[in-house]
Amino acid sequence: MGTAGADADAEDKAHKNPFRRVPVDKPPFTLSQLKKAIPPHCFHRSILTSFSYLLHDLFISALLLLLAIYFIPSISFTPLRITVWLLYWSLQASFLGGLWVIAHECGHHAFSDYSIIDDIVGFVLHSFLMVPYFSFKYSHRQHHSNIASLDDDNSFVPKPKSKLLRFAKYFNNPIGTVLILLYYIPFGWFLYLLFSIITPYSGFICHFDPFSPIFSAGQRVYVLISDAGILSVCFLLYHLATCFSVSSVMTIYAGPLFILNAAFVVVTYLHHTHPALPHYDSDEWDWLRGSLSTVDRDYGVLNKVLHNITDTHVVHHLFSTIPHYHAVEATHAIKPLLGDYYRYDGTPILSALWREFRHCFFVQPEYSRPGVYWFTNKL
């Protein structure tokens, strides 16, 4: 079967049975073999191409900003003005999401061949989006190094049944799921940065604290630089609020940012939460199988707007320095070799979000293989 046929067959299986589990045995391929299957140019980082995507997103974001400043306030019909504001928030959040992805790519050294350029671009972009660039870069690196490990991963780590809070059972129902969604989606990103929720760490873990145990001594100064970037943007916003109004800052900046943060909670949650994906304890875990415990999703036109971080997440975890403009080609190149180890789910996003929050309540070990854990909601 040709490459296109193999790709279609893998996706067809996923569509027919999204609960079909990813194999947990040692893969019949190595990371080196996967890398050889990818065309060499996919690993090339072009500074011109990367900046062209950056300038494209900045240009559209600036156009939307001008509309928000000069056009939307002039709409006299209140219901129409509110509708246009909501449309502006959604569109601006989408293209700010593209900038967020570029900054995230800078943290992976996938923007250019020059680390200093990557860090400058990533620091400026993420600071304006209220993300502590270096702090997140370091903690996110730990996630990539320990993905799907119940003991050492730090992002979207599910709890075994034995570690559930005593009152958790009261949320294992449709009404409880709605309440969790209303808490988790809007505020999850802020709580992750401030308190590192959804991590296995105990105690106070904060991305703004240079002495948090997630940072080494050599990283502390960069955490302070990240904090300084956030404080600088806060001062700028305060100055704008005093020169114009608080409501202007809220409607033009805070509204899109709130939607952006909620959207990325959805995107990242759905990348790492799926009934077919295993998690491993420290006795079973290895990096390659852990990196394959993620799923590509289809967000329609937003795939392009978000630079395909949505539908190429598997290859991103395998080769995080591949720039986004080569990720689709790299994904298609390795899918035939991955076979059943590749997971794609084309379920509509809202349906998938509800299904995963309902079904993936906690993890329990496989009876015949205690170090492998699967999602369930059967208490």
Side-chain angles (χ1 to χ4, degrees), residues 130-146:
M130 290 294 178
V131 179
Y133 171 72
F134 290 105
S135 307
F136 177 69
K137 171 183 173 179
Y138 297 141
S139 69
H140 191 61
R141 181 184 298 169
Q142 295 171 24
H143 163 59
H144 271 255
S145 298
N146 300 284

Side-chain angles (χ1 to χ4, degrees), residues 36-187:
K36 288 178 181 178
I38 298 173
H41 71 265
C42 289
F43 294 93
H44 175 62
R45 298 164 292 203
S46 167
I47 192 170
L48 292 178
T49 302
S50 294
F51 267 107
S52 71
Y53 281 98
L54 171 59
L55 293 175
H56 170 271
D57 288 353
L58 287 173
F59 177 74
I60 295 179
S61 182
L63 284 180
L64 291 169
L65 176 63
L66 291 174
L67 287 173
I69 294 173
Y70 295 108
F71 172 69
I72 301 177
S74 68
I75 300 174
S76 58
F77 186 52
T78 301
L80 178 60
R81 187 172 65 254
I82 293 174
T83 301
V84 176
W85 271 122
L86 293 174
L87 178 62
Y88 161 75
W89 288 0
S90 300
L91 290 174
Q92 187 69 283
S94 299
F95 287 97
L96 290 179
L99 293 171
W100 199 105
V101 171
I102 290 174
H104 156 264
E105 221 166 66
C106 290
H108 283 293
H109 192 28
F111 185 81
S112 75
D113 291 332
Y114 308 97
S115 295
I116 185 64
I117 292 177
D118 288 11
D119 283 340
I120 291 173
V121 171
F123 173 73
V124 172
L125 290 178
H126 262 172
S127 294
F128 272 101
L129 297 173
M130 290 294 178
V131 179
Y133 171 72
F134 290 105
S135 307
F136 177 69
K137 171 183 173 179
Y138 297 141
S139 69
H140 191 61
R141 181 184 298 169
Q142 295 171 24
H143 163 59
H144 271 255
S145 298
N146 300 284
I147 176 175
S149 168
L150 290 175
D151 301 312
D152 299 310
D153 196 358
N154 65 5
S155 295
F156 298 100
V157 184
K159 291 184 181 296
K161 184 179 179 180
S162 60
K163 294 184 178 180
L164 287 177
L165 298 174
R166 282 185 292 178
F167 59 81
K169 61 183 179 181
Y170 299 111
F171 291 89
N172 188 20
N173 54 69
I175 294 176
T177 300
V178 171
L179 294 175
I180 294 173
L181 283 166
L182 291 175
Y183 154 78
Y184 196 83
I185 301 303
F187 307 112

Side-chain angles (χ1 to χ4, degrees), residues 102-312:
I102 290 174
H104 156 264
E105 221 166 66
C106 290
H108 283 293
H109 192 28
F111 185 81
S112 75
D113 291 332
Y114 308 97
S115 295
I116 185 64
I117 292 177
D118 288 11
D119 283 340
I120 291 173
V121 171
F123 173 73
V124 172
L125 290 178
H126 262 172
S127 294
F128 272 101
L129 297 173
M130 290 294 178
V131 179
Y133 171 72
F134 290 105
S135 307
F136 177 69
K137 171 183 173 179
Y138 297 141
S139 69
H140 191 61
R141 181 184 298 169
Q142 295 171 24
H143 163 59
H144 271 255
S145 298
N146 300 284
I147 176 175
S149 168
L150 290 175
D151 301 312
D152 299 310
D153 196 358
N154 65 5
S155 295
F156 298 100
V157 184
K159 291 184 181 296
K161 184 179 179 180
S162 60
K163 294 184 178 180
L164 287 177
L165 298 174
R166 282 185 292 178
F167 59 81
K169 61 183 179 181
Y170 299 111
F171 291 89
N172 188 20
N173 54 69
I175 294 176
T177 300
V178 171
L179 294 175
I180 294 173
L181 283 166
L182 291 175
Y183 154 78
Y184 196 83
I185 301 303
F187 307 112
W189 173 246
F190 303 104
L191 293 172
Y192 172 71
L193 291 179
L194 289 171
F195 307 114
S196 285
I197 65 166
I198 57 174
T199 74
Y201 301 122
S202 59
F204 180 71
I205 308 294
C206 178
H207 278 76
F208 301 98
D209 178 8
F211 293 96
S212 285
I214 56 175
F215 304 122
S216 67
Q219 295 171 344
R220 289 171 184 164
V221 64
Y222 293 99
V223 176
L224 290 173
I225 292 173
S226 300
D227 294 348
I230 299 296
L231 288 173
S232 298
V233 174
C234 288
F235 177 78
L236 174 62
L237 293 173
Y238 170 78
H239 181 70
L240 291 173
T242 56
C243 291
F244 300 97
S245 68
V246 173
S247 62
S248 294
V249 173
M250 294 297 290
T251 52
I252 292 173
Y253 176 78
L257 188 66
F258 184 81
I259 293 178
L260 167 64
N261 290 334
F264 265 101
V265 171
V266 172
V267 170
T268 52
Y269 171 83
L270 289 178
H271 275 153
H272 300 288
T273 308
H274 191 281
L277 296 181
H279 282 73
Y280 305 93
D281 66 15
S282 55
D283 293 329
E284 273 278 0
W285 183 87
D286 64 68
W287 183 84
L288 182 56
R289 285 187 298 159
S291 296
L292 293 171
S293 189
T294 184
V295 58
D296 289 345
R297 306 266 189 179
D298 183 13
Y299 288 75
V301 67
L302 286 178
N303 289 337
K304 291 297 182 184
V305 176
L306 298 177
H307 304 307
N308 296 104
I309 193 65
T310 47
D311 58 341
T312 63

